[in-house]
Each structure stands twice: as C-alpha cells, then as structure tokens.
C-alpha cells in the first residue's frame, strides 16, 4: 500500500528532524511519498540545509519565502494536488517524531476501525507524544 504524507512548515527548524524520523522509522512493507511545502527563507530551507532530503525520489518539495505565506490551509490544498495513486493520505505537523513502523501501525488502525464499523470511510487521528530535543536546533 502507498501512503501520501503531507507536511506544511512555516519557519520550523524541526522540519528536517520530522522528515528524517518518518523516513528512518517507516517499515519496508509500504511505500511513502513525502510532500513538503516549506515557507521559509532559502538560506534556512531544506534545499540549503539538507539537499539530500529534497533530492530523494520519494520527496516532493516546494518552498516559498515566508512573507508570501498564507497560513496552513493554502499549502495543504496545494499538497493535495500532488496526490497520485496513493491509498492513504497522512497529514502531519512539521515538528513531530515517529515510532518505528509508524506506517504499519496507522494502516492496521485503519483496518481495525473499518472492520469494527463496516465502513471504509475512516479517518485516523491522534495526539502527539511530547519529546525533548537533546541538541541545539537553530
């Protein structure tokens, strides 16, 4: 199964940690496309700070300068236009860390709720755990 992960970032220094965590902790069972819409200055962007992430085949990346930002609704809409053949749409914040096999857990939760309700139109949502950053984020 394929998962489309939509990430909107407004000057968030934790974006690279979020994307690293998603990639590192995804199981090999599913495919994922990570669509990042970053609203930040070029010198602070992933293109400059982590070009290796932006260059990945499974990453779709867009950036605008922050003075042109219009909140989160507009870039979320633009990210949805990038969905192709993915089975699931996963919308996250740009400052999150993920457990190992996050993709398997989400899909199993979906399947369980679908079986319980007899309905495939299911939205899975949850709160995030707290975490501490042990290194300085600039």
């Amino acid at each position: 199964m394929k998962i489309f992960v939509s990430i909107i970032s407004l000057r968030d220094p934790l974006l690279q940690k979020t994307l690293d965590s998603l990639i590192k902790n995804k199981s090999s069972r599913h495919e994922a496309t990570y669509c990042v819409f970053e609203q930040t200055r070029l010198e602070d962007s992933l293109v400059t700070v982590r070009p290796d992430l932006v260059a990945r085949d499974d990453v779709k990346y867009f950036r605008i300068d922050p003075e042109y930002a219009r909140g989160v609704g507009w870039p979320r809409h633009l990210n949805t236009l990038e969905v192709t053949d993915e089975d699931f749409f996963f919308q996250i914040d740009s400052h999150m860390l993920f457990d190992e096999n996050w993709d398997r857990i989400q899909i199993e939760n979906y399947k369980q709720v679908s079986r319980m309700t007899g309905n495939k139109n299911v939205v899975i949502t949850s709160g995030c755990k707290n975490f501490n950053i042990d290194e300085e984020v600039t």
Side-chain angles (χ1 to χ4, degrees):
M1 302 190 112
K2 296 180 180 180
I3 304 169
F4 184 93
V5 182
S6 177
I7 310 165
I8 306 305
S9 174
L10 177 60
R11 292 181 169 172
D12 193 341
L14 297 178
L15 173 60
Q16 67 179 331
K17 291 190 180 301
T18 297
L19 196 49
D20 279 334
S21 179
L22 278 164
I23 293 166
K24 175 186 169 204
N25 291 306
K26 187 186 77 56
S27 75
S28 60
R29 182 176 289 180
H30 307 288
E31 293 179 43
T33 300
Y34 309 100
C35 190
V36 178
F37 194 109
E38 189 173 26
Q39 301 170 104
T40 194
R41 298 177 311 163
L42 179 60
E43 57 268 23
D44 299 327
S45 70
L46 287 180
V47 166
T48 303
V49 178
R50 288 291 305 278
D52 58 307
L53 286 176
V54 175
R56 293 175 55 98
D57 290 339
D58 55 355
V59 173
K60 295 181 178 185
Y61 177 81
F62 305 94
R63 186 199 69 80
I64 63 169
D65 290 326
E67 60 265 23
Y68 302 112
R70 297 183 190 173
V72 296
W74 173 68
R76 282 183 178 161
H77 168 72
L78 293 177
N79 271 11
T80 64
L81 299 175
E82 297 298 318
V83 175
T84 56
D85 61 346
E86 291 85 7
D87 303 295
F88 296 96
F89 185 92
F90 188 30
Q91 182 172 283
I92 65 166
D93 289 332
S94 58
H95 40 266
M96 298 174 71
L97 298 177
F98 292 84
D99 292 330
E100 188 174 353
N101 298 318
W102 63 264
D103 55 312
R104 290 177 66 184
I105 294 166
Q106 290 291 1
I107 290 175
E108 288 305 315
N109 286 343
Y110 165 81
K111 288 178 180 178
Q112 181 182 9
V113 172
S114 291
R115 282 191 302 272
M116 288 171 42
T117 63
N119 189 335
K120 293 191 181 269
N121 298 324
V122 174
V123 174
I124 301 296
T125 184
S126 70
C128 302
K129 297 177 187 174
N130 291 334
F131 61 89
N132 294 319
I133 301 295
D134 293 332
E135 57 192 67
E136 185 176 327
V137 177
T138 57

